Amino acid sequence: MFTAAEVGAANRQAAGRGAPGRGAAEELQLCLSVISRMGGAVSAGEDNDELIDNLKEAQYIRSELVEQAFRAIDRADYYLEEFKENAYKDLAWKHGNIHLSAPCIYSEVMEALDLQPGLSFLNLGSGTGYLSSMVGLILGPFGVNHGVELHSDVTEYAKQKLDFFIRTSDSFDKFDFCEPSFVTGNCLEISPDCSQYDRVYCGAGVQKEHEEYMKSLLKVGGILVMPLEEKLTKITRTGPSAWETKKILAVSFAPLIQPCQSESGKSRLVQLPPLAVRSLQDLARIAIRGTIKKVIHQEAVNKNGNGLKNTPRFKRRRVRRRRLETIVFLDKEVFASRISNPSDDNSSGDLEEERREEEATTPPDSKPEPPVNFLREKVLSLPLPDPLKYYLLYYREK
């Protein structure tokens, strides 16, 4: 009945950007009141790239930096093996204490944070580390990337996923990465002498009485994004006591868990990671890798005149008309909804035409070419001792 772009636009209207008209828009708004709050605003993808394509089409992803970060980290890598078949659906996922928000929510959060290299970022309720890792790709090596997670088992899970990403993903070599640091504790008990941050995100519902506490974590000029009174809210600190507030999206998050006092009756203050200064050895590694990347780029420019291009994704048939199917699990309750496109039944002719066009332009035996890690190849070819080569590669696996 509605395209992905219409869903995305109406969803943002619901948060205060404008009131939709009557009739079909009211029907859409009724569906969105449940669907968009938990995800399901865009169609499922066959893989991570197709999920990102759908988020772009629905205008949840609107900037190139955010798109690159989403494509660089496969959402399925943060799922338990037995649940990976659901990784590319626009739905939240929860198993025990492990939780991932819906992709459309993360997209809006990343866009609202307006991330830039070198900024400091604090993730309250950092969970699996999926969002923190994407943020780290944008912050670069001179940013600060901290996360606070309530559950110790989730903190350990996030550290394992981060280690897997650093060791195995080619995206680590394509970006200058700001590695996240995670600590365990209640984010409402952060030590009052902690540093303030340029960007703060809270992944749990914030009660009104905690709004000022959240604002106190922010530097002047900084941005705070959090679910406040069932609206994803962006707050910009424009002065020591001046703020601008913007409602982004209607959402439904579990509320923050209130702190529990220890046996002594005192709260357990959370100590955030120190703002460590990089060693000269580490700075040299960053500089050498950066220089090698520039050499690789210049060689590509000299070779073909337009520099390195992203490895093209394998061409798939584009399905413009999708049926939106949503299943939302809320503990033991299940909400199921289907919004079907009336054109689905008569779109077979269009799809057949697209298939013929693809067959005419695609070689019969075409297969996606494996990506080439140019940085790794260049480092391994250098006349250096092997230990130094592997140090420059962060001791990563091939």
Side-chain angles (χ1 to χ4, degrees), residues 11 35 78 90 102 107 114 123 127-128 205 232 242-243 269-270 284 288 311 318 338 360 382 391:
N11 202 352
I35 294 173
Y78 290 79
D90 187 32
S107 303
D114 189 21
N123 189 353
T128 65
L232 189 63
W243 312 85
L269 290 181
V270 176
I288 292 170
T311 303
R318 176 173 173 80
R338 172 176 293 179
L382 294 175
Y391 175 75

Side-chain angles (χ1 to χ4, degrees), residues 64 68 173-175 289-312 371-378:
E64 185 177 353
Q68 289 175 349
D173 284 335
K174 295 177 182 177
F175 293 79
R289 285 168 62 93
T291 300
I292 293 174
K293 288 180 180 179
K294 291 179 181 178
V295 170
I296 293 171
H297 178 77
Q298 189 59 48
E299 289 176 349
V301 170
N302 295 338
K303 182 178 180 180
N304 53 37
N306 57 2
L308 285 175
K309 296 182 178 180
N310 293 329
T311 303
V372 178
N373 189 328
F374 295 100
L375 177 65
R376 185 181 185 87
E377 288 190 350
K378 180 66 73 173

Side-chain angles (χ1 to χ4, degrees), residues 104-135:
C104 68
I105 301 297
Y106 283 136
S107 303
E108 287 286 5
V109 169
M110 291 279 285
E111 293 287 357
L113 286 170
D114 189 21
L115 297 162
Q116 301 169 30
L119 295 180
S120 57
F121 171 67
L122 178 61
N123 189 353
L124 304 176
S126 49
T128 65
Y130 172 63
L131 177 66
S132 292
S133 293
M134 288 194 294
V135 169

